[in-house]
Amino acid sequence: MNTLAPSKVTPTVQARRARAAVAVLFLTNGAVFANLVPRYPAIVDHLGLANTQFGLAVAGFPLGALLAGLTAGVLIRRFRSSRVAVAGMVLTSAGIFLAGTSPSWGLLAAGLFTAGAMDAITDVAQNSHGLRVQRLYRRSIINSFHAVWSIGAVLGGLMGTAAAAWNVPLAVHLAVSGALFSVLAGACYPFLLPGPEPEEAGPGAAATTTGQPPAFRPHLLRYGILAALVLIAMAGTLVEDAGSSWAALYLVNGLEASTTVAGLGFVALVGAQFAGRLMGDRLVDRFGQRAVAQAGGAVAAAGMGLALAFPSVPGTIIGFAAAGLGVATLVPAAMQSADNLPGLRPGTGLTVVSWLMRLGFLISPPVVGAVADTAGLRAGLLVIPLAGLAVLAASPVLAKRAGASP
């Protein structure tokens, strides 16, 4: 049992500076890719891509992440999480620039593949360093970093929307945004924690979770529970991908919105997701993971379902906002529950969920694109309400209350 009193621990100046620096890294990570999203319609138009072609190109991002993700641990142990996070951020920006300025489908896919690979490494490194800082705080602060990531995504989405509205050339826009956030990430490095990565979590690390692991299940059901947790996490990634990959195209091509308005679908989704993350910890503590996930799945399914049933520009933007709010806590809930699953070695469940949930980003773009080419993008976006329904079906594996069994 941990005997520390988290609320009475005063972080050092170094810890506070490191926390601020990690938060800025999360901000830059969210902003760089989001700058590209509102420019997707221009890229599709410039290259003359069908929806299936575009979906396959976008799938390069999660494919790169899947193939490179397992190298992050080796790189972090060799070069430290601080260095890997900053270098990965710069290389992610380079991949985004290549994708946005590519003259062909192949280079678009290659750029997104590169950006995805570097983003996966950056993501692990910045989370690893954030957890180092969290151990100094003796309380949970990791959710605040993810909330800042959402702020960065909103900022980047607004920057991309403004650049599209003002007809800023893609090369100029992405060069400026990439350089800006790369310099900002580099400026954080002196304030990150020095020294090599710790071999083990320090004392008090176990106190950062909320709730207790669910009661033991027979061996034959354990992996079924893990599969349900993967489904919950994938539902969250599917909705995020639908907003980033297809919101702008649907608003422009399906609802004839202006390019200025087109970026607001993604911004609404990420903005509402940020709000949900700010409230998420308090809601889970009060109502439990299961109730919060069920409410979120229902909100995502109903909100986007109504938007697709009665299409309009304002209704669609509201629908994407409902989807973002609904999935805000899904991935953290699935990760925490998997990490606490009895009968598995420490970290095994978390690793499985973290790895497999990226399949949502890989599968979604080509599937939605193929459905869109056959039946229209409106039909392809049914993946969002279906994801919400999947959460409702899988939610019984989550705990009813903190400290309670499912």
Side-chain angles (χ1 to χ4, degrees):
M1 177 181 296
N2 182 10
T3 59
L4 292 174
S7 62
K8 296 182 180 180
V9 174
T10 301
T12 64
V13 172
Q14 182 187 57
R16 292 197 297 269
R17 288 176 176 173
R19 180 181 182 177
V22 173
V24 174
L25 286 178
F26 272 80
L27 179 85
T28 61
N29 184 247
V32 165
F33 176 71
N35 263 274
L36 179 66
V37 173
R39 308 307 303 267
Y40 276 162
I43 294 172
V44 170
D45 182 66
H46 174 68
L47 298 179
L49 302 178
N51 287 321
T52 301
Q53 290 177 303
F54 175 68
L56 289 171
V58 171
F61 191 94
L63 179 60
L66 277 170
L67 295 180
L70 292 180
T71 67
V74 175
L75 292 172
I76 288 170
R77 288 190 294 272
R78 175 66 177 85
F79 299 107
R80 302 179 188 176
S81 58
S82 55
R83 297 170 180 170
V84 174
V86 172
M89 187 67 254
V90 175
L91 294 174
T92 301
S93 299
I96 293 296
F97 177 80
L98 173 62
T101 58
S102 59
S104 66
W105 177 89
L107 286 178
L108 171 63
L112 289 172
F113 178 91
T114 302
M118 295 302 101
D119 180 75
I121 294 170
T122 303
D123 183 54
V124 175
Q126 67 186 11
N127 274 283
S128 176
H129 205 82
L131 290 171
R132 284 188 64 186
V133 178
Q134 177 172 274
R135 287 193 284 272
L136 298 179
Y137 270 71
R138 299 294 196 274
R139 59 185 172 87
S140 177
I141 59 173
I142 196 69
N143 287 325
S144 69
F145 294 139
H146 287 269
V148 173
W149 183 94
S150 295
I151 294 176
V154 171
L155 173 63
L158 291 174
M159 290 173 64
T161 299
W166 297 336
N167 294 316
V168 178
L170 271 164
V172 174
H173 165 211
L174 297 178
V176 171
S177 64
L180 171 65
F181 292 114
S182 294
V183 169
L184 192 58
C188 294
Y189 179 75
F191 302 101
L192 297 172
L193 297 177
E197 302 300 305
E199 293 296 326
E200 296 180 357
T208 61
T209 60
T210 58
Q212 301 294 326
F216 178 75
R217 294 294 194 278
H219 177 76
L220 293 177
L221 294 179
R222 185 180 303 130
Y223 296 105
I225 295 172
L226 190 59
L229 294 173
V230 170
L231 179 61
I232 291 172
M234 285 184 65
T237 61
L238 282 168
V239 172
E240 288 183 26
D241 177 76
S244 64
S245 300
W246 302 104
L249 286 172
Y250 177 61
L251 284 164
V252 170
N253 298 332
L255 301 177
E256 299 182 349
S258 67
T259 55
T260 303
V261 173
L264 296 181
F266 172 69
V267 170
L269 185 147
V270 177
Q273 187 181 59
F274 165 70
R277 285 172 173 169
L278 284 182
M279 301 183 295
D281 289 332
R282 292 191 294 272
L283 291 174
V284 168
D285 287 342
R286 181 172 181 180
F287 301 107
Q289 288 180 339
R290 184 186 300 181
V292 173
Q294 288 173 337
V299 167
M304 200 62 197
L306 288 172
L308 294 173
F310 306 99
S312 70
V313 172
T316 298
I317 293 173
I318 293 172
F320 277 113
L325 181 64
V327 304
T329 64
L330 295 184
V331 171
M335 287 182 170
Q336 178 182 317
S337 298
D339 202 37
N340 292 336
L341 190 62
L344 296 178
R345 290 185 299 175
T348 300
L350 175 60
T351 300
V352 171
V353 169
S354 300
W355 175 254
L356 291 180
M357 76 175 190
R358 292 186 180 273
L359 289 176
F361 289 117
L362 179 64
I363 295 170
S364 177
V367 169
V368 173
V371 173
D373 281 340
T374 302
L377 189 49
R378 182 181 170 192
L381 288 175
L382 285 172
V383 67
I384 297 178
L386 289 175
L389 295 177
V391 172
L392 292 175
S395 61
V397 300
L398 299 172
K400 291 181 179 179
R401 293 284 190 276
S405 300

